[in-house]
Amino acid sequence: MADDTPPHPSIALLSELVRRPSITPEDAGCQEIIAERLDALGFTCESMPYGNVRNLWARRGSSGPVLCFAGHTDVVPPGDEDEWDSDPFEPLIRDGLMYGRGSADMKSGLAAMILALEQFVAAHKDHNGCLAVLITSDEEGRARDGTLKVIEALTARDEHIDWCVLGEPSSQKTLGDNVRIGRRGSLSGMLTVNGVQGHVAYPQLADNPIGRFAPVLAELHTIEWDCGNEFFPPTSFQVVDIHSGAGSPNVTPAKLSTRFNFRYSTEWSHETLKQRVQEVFASHDIDFELDWHLSGEPFLTAAGELIDATAKAVTEYPTK
Ligand SMILES: [Zn+2]
């Protein structure tokens, strides 16, 4: 920026954060910047590292309900830097948009949350209840040593969050045009189909796992899992990987392995979904092993104070 007008404080903080190359699970000093700002506001800041992941839990106030702002400082890798028009870790404003890895997801959210807290505390030094901030550097990666571990530790010491607002980008065209109040569940299946290898000329002596799996796959693909509901699109089944083969044009394989994923609505839990899939397999003649990985159950914030307050804030403070 060539002109001399100082940038808006939120842009200044955002720039400072984007300059830190916090490629997951690195935090690269972002939480230190945030902790310093919160410390000055009277927050008690606690660093809660697990493995190579940095987490920050900060709290202001000791009684009453807890309103927490949550987010992450890590970013996905920039990929081939030659494909960038500017340095991914040197924030640059062009045509009213900031370019730099993590500007949208979600360092702008972090900057906005910190600025909002500073303004709120300046206006309401003796506010009721508690304000809290939970930041991790493990959201874009494995996401095992971040928010999950912090919540476990807080629960173990009887510390709870009543309302939580995530600063993740969810708006489509203008700020606040879309407020997400839930998320679909994600369940992956890792399947191995067992067969018996054989010569393609003597199929009666072999058991081809590809032929065994084909009708099961067709059925899984044609099932209408649900029609979605008021808040979620229909549940979807997708195969992400499949391979088999003995490496010879004359040999049928002994095994097939595949991986699939469900993005599912609140019409299912992972248990009911697994059970339904098992029923499909049970109705076919197939020898298989199936392992599951649950990334997360679907959730939906119930109607109430938090949603009402958020909607009110969006309409009461329109973006300029
Ligand atoms: Zn994010």
Side-chain angles (χ1 to χ4, degrees), residues 196-200 206-209 245-246 248 250-254:
V196 177
Q197 198 183 68
H199 195 285
V200 77
D207 186 1
N208 190 338
S248 160
N250 289 328
V251 181
T252 59

Coordinates of all heavy atoms in Angstrom, one line a residue, residues 196-200 206-209 245-246 248 250-254:
V196 N -10.6 -65.5 -4.4 CA -9.6 -66.5 -4.7 C -9.0 -66.2 -6.1 O -9.8 -66.2 -7.0 CB -10.2 -67.9 -4.6 CG1 -9.1 -69.0 -4.9 CG2 -10.7 -68.2 -3.2
Q197 N -7.7 -66.1 -6.1 CA -7.1 -65.8 -7.4 C -7.2 -67.0 -8.3 O -7.3 -68.1 -7.9 CB -5.6 -65.5 -7.1 CG -4.9 -64.8 -8.3 CD -3.5 -64.6 -8.0 OE1 -2.7 -65.5 -7.9 NE2 -3.1 -63.3 -7.8
G198 N -7.3 -66.7 -9.6 CA -7.4 -67.9 -10.6 C -7.1 -67.5 -12.0 O -6.9 -66.3 -12.3
H199 N -7.1 -68.5 -12.9 CA -6.9 -68.2 -14.3 C -8.2 -67.8 -14.9 O -9.3 -68.3 -14.6 CB -6.4 -69.4 -15.0 CG -5.8 -69.1 -16.4 ND1 -6.6 -68.8 -17.4 CD2 -4.5 -69.0 -16.8 CE1 -5.8 -68.6 -18.5 NE2 -4.6 -68.7 -18.1
V200 N -8.2 -66.7 -15.7 CA -9.4 -66.2 -16.3 C -10.2 -67.2 -17.1 O -11.4 -67.1 -17.3 CB -9.0 -64.9 -17.1 CG1 -8.4 -65.3 -18.5 CG2 -10.2 -64.0 -17.3
A206 N -12.0 -70.1 -9.4 CA -11.6 -68.9 -8.7 C -12.8 -68.2 -8.1 O -13.9 -68.7 -8.2 CB -10.9 -67.9 -9.7
D207 N -12.5 -67.1 -7.4 CA -13.6 -66.3 -6.8 C -13.2 -64.8 -7.0 O -12.3 -64.3 -6.3 CB -13.8 -66.6 -5.3 CG -15.0 -66.0 -4.7 OD1 -15.7 -65.3 -5.4 OD2 -15.2 -66.1 -3.5
N208 N -13.8 -64.2 -8.0 CA -13.4 -62.8 -8.3 C -14.0 -61.8 -7.4 O -15.2 -61.5 -7.5 CB -13.8 -62.6 -9.8 CG -13.1 -61.4 -10.4 OD1 -12.7 -60.5 -9.6 ND2 -13.0 -61.3 -11.7
P209 N -13.2 -61.1 -6.6 CA -13.7 -60.1 -5.7 C -14.4 -58.9 -6.4 O -15.2 -58.2 -5.9 CB -12.5 -59.7 -4.9 CG -11.3 -60.0 -5.7 CD -11.7 -61.2 -6.5
G245 N -6.7 -56.2 -8.9 CA -6.0 -56.7 -10.1 C -4.7 -57.5 -9.7 O -4.1 -57.2 -8.7
A246 N -4.4 -58.5 -10.5 CA -3.3 -59.4 -10.2 C -2.1 -59.0 -11.1 O -1.0 -59.6 -11.0 CB -3.6 -60.8 -10.4
S248 N -1.9 -59.2 -14.3 CA -1.8 -60.0 -15.5 C -3.1 -60.1 -16.2 O -4.1 -60.2 -15.5 CB -1.3 -61.4 -15.2 OG -1.6 -62.3 -16.2
N250 N -4.5 -62.4 -17.7 CA -5.1 -63.7 -17.6 C -5.4 -64.2 -16.2 O -5.9 -65.3 -16.0 CB -4.2 -64.8 -18.3 CG -4.1 -64.6 -19.8 OD1 -5.1 -64.1 -20.4 ND2 -3.0 -64.8 -20.4
V251 N -5.2 -63.3 -15.2 CA -5.4 -63.7 -13.8 C -6.4 -62.8 -13.2 O -6.4 -61.6 -13.2 CB -4.1 -63.7 -13.1 CG1 -4.3 -64.1 -11.6 CG2 -3.0 -64.5 -13.8
T252 N -7.4 -63.5 -12.5 CA -8.4 -62.7 -11.7 C -7.8 -62.5 -10.3 O -7.1 -63.4 -9.8 CB -9.7 -63.4 -11.7 OG1 -9.6 -64.7 -11.1 CG2 -10.4 -63.6 -13.0
P253 N -8.1 -61.4 -9.7 CA -7.4 -61.0 -8.4 C -7.9 -61.8 -7.2 O -9.0 -62.3 -7.3 CB -7.6 -59.5 -8.3 CG -8.9 -59.3 -9.1 CD -9.0 -60.3 -10.2
A254 N -7.2 -61.7 -6.2 CA -7.6 -62.3 -4.9 C -8.2 -61.3 -4.0 O -8.9 -61.7 -3.0 CB -6.4 -63.0 -4.2

